[in-house]
Amino acid sequence: NACTGERGEKDARAMTQRVADRLGCAARDVQVCSTGVIGAPLPMETVTAGIDAAFDALGEGTMEDFGDAICTTDTRRKVRGTELEIGGRTVRIAGCSKGAGMIHPNMATMLGVVITDAPVATQDLDRLWRGVCDRSFNAITIDGDTSTNDTALLLASGAAGGAPLSGVDLDTLEAAIEEVAGELARDIVRDGEGATKLVRITIAGAASDADVRVAANAVALSPLVKTAIHGEDPNWGRIIAAAGRSGAKVVPSEMKLWIGEVPIYLDGVWQGPGAESAAHDVMLTPDYPIRLDLGAGGAHIRTIFTCDFSADYVRINADYRS
């Protein structure tokens, strides 16, 4: 676990070696995935016994079993999958994630594992996964806190057969993997600690990629925006203000804001109490989009999924170690 010094390094190597010895593989081929209390060494006797027990119990289990096993403050398992035809062969993709707090772009207290039987060259798999993570696991936020412990793995066995995918076939695989990873990422936000709403924040009209990212983060992370979401209050000024203070270039007289499909602020003008009433109706639902055009005229766009802040979030994290 994190911040455990030389003992932690030794324990991690011992875990990988124990698994490698039981599987007959190299220790470097074993990945350690861990979340937990920072600085607290893991109970190695329990871990070692657990590795042996898990190996002895190996069988035709399901991804649902794995999803149940890695839950911590999660309230439910997070498992997704798909099957499709690519290049004349059937390809399967399945994945599992965990996480409910300390979730923010640059990852978080989360684990994500996606597996496929597609044949993919190592360099293509690495490039593909980095892009997918940027648009899925690194495009969600619950509370703005990143973490010392996170892992997202993509494993490809090649068992579907044939030559490594390339060209359009590789693009098709990437889109399918992104759909699975995206659902797993959104499942994390849906199950955020104390969360009751999943909201898709899309920022457009930005002058640069840097601008669209900082503006999206500012809106999705704002405690005032998140509490307004929880209270189902279309307090649109909080959204505009968050983008305005983000450091991104904004042109207030050209800004536009929609809650759901309801235009509530167009070209710098509030659209009135009728628009707010319609937006409130949208906010009563558990899953909806918010779209903001910064008015800077650029083509850059970014989508981040966020959730509301509730009293339960404070309670869960105040009592975390009690």
Side-chain angles (χ1 to χ4, degrees):
N1 221 8
C3 301
T4 50
E6 291 184 10
R7 175 178 172 180
E9 291 282 345
K10 180 181 177 181
D11 288 348
R13 293 181 184 278
M15 281 186 270
T16 60
Q17 191 62 59
R18 188 77 171 201
V19 173
D21 289 344
R22 297 302 303 263
L23 292 178
C25 67
R28 64 182 176 83
D29 292 329
V30 178
Q31 298 293 318
V32 175
C33 303
S34 176
T35 69
V37 177
I38 295 169
L42 296 176
M44 285 304 293
E45 288 186 6
T46 303
V47 170
T48 300
I51 289 171
D52 291 340
F55 184 86
D56 292 338
L58 284 177
E60 296 289 330
T62 67
M63 189 65 81
E64 283 79 9
D65 296 329
F66 178 48
D68 288 338
I70 64 174
C71 287
T72 51
T73 57
D74 307 63
T75 65
R76 55 189 178 271
R77 73 170 76 104
K78 302 167 179 68
V79 176
R80 297 283 178 169
T82 191
E83 181 178 296
L84 67 161
E85 294 293 319
I86 303 179
R89 73 200 93 173
T90 300
V91 169
R92 298 171 180 85
I93 303 165
C96 179
S97 64
K98 75 155 291 291
M102 291 186 76
I103 303 293
H104 184 61
N106 290 324
M107 299 178 66
T109 300
M110 62 148 277
L111 304 177
V113 179
V114 176
I115 59 176
T116 179
D117 55 5
V120 190
T122 301
Q123 64 271 21
D124 289 332
L125 200 68
D126 180 72
R127 176 200 57 77
L128 179 159
W129 190 230
R130 290 177 186 276
V132 166
C133 282
D134 183 60
R135 299 183 296 272
S136 58
F137 294 121
N138 281 337
I140 59 175
T141 184
I142 288 176
D143 47 21
D145 266 306
T146 54
S147 174
T148 56
N149 302 72
D150 58 17
T151 304
L153 297 175
L154 173 61
L155 309 174
S157 69
L165 299 178
S166 61
V168 174
D169 288 343
L170 187 61
D171 292 341
T172 301
L173 177 70
E174 179 172 354
I177 290 174
E178 183 170 335
E179 180 59 29
V180 170
E183 285 297 330
L184 292 172
R186 291 187 286 276
D187 284 343
I188 289 174
V189 182
R190 289 186 183 99
D191 194 30
E193 291 170 345
T196 65
K197 308 283 187 181
L198 173 69
V199 177
R200 181 170 71 252
I201 306 286
T202 298
I203 306 295
S208 68
D209 184 65
D211 275 4
V212 78
R213 287 174 181 269
V214 297
N217 281 347
V219 173
L221 283 173
S222 166
L224 290 180
V225 171
K226 290 164 75 68
T227 50
I229 291 170
H230 183 69
E232 298 163 343
D233 175 14
N235 194 338
W236 57 271
R238 294 181 177 183
I239 300 169
I240 298 293
R245 65 170 166 75
S246 70
K249 179 181 178 181
V250 301
V251 181
S253 62
E254 301 293 331
M255 293 177 80
K256 301 175 179 66
L257 174 66
W258 294 262
I259 296 178
E261 297 302 317
V262 178
I264 197 166
Y265 184 76
L266 295 179
D267 298 327
V269 178
W270 173 47
Q271 298 301 292
E276 285 203 10
S277 178
H280 169 68
D281 291 342
V282 172
M283 297 179 78
L284 295 174
T285 64
D287 185 338
Y288 60 88
I290 291 176
R291 181 161 50 101
L292 174 65
D293 189 309
L294 300 182
H300 297 273
I301 188 168
R302 175 74 169 168
T303 295
I304 290 182
F305 286 83
T306 191
C307 62
D308 54 332
F309 263 157
S310 71
D312 280 343
Y313 176 84
V314 177
R315 178 188 55 77
I316 291 167
N317 283 279
D319 298 340
Y320 181 68
R321 299 200 307 169
S322 302

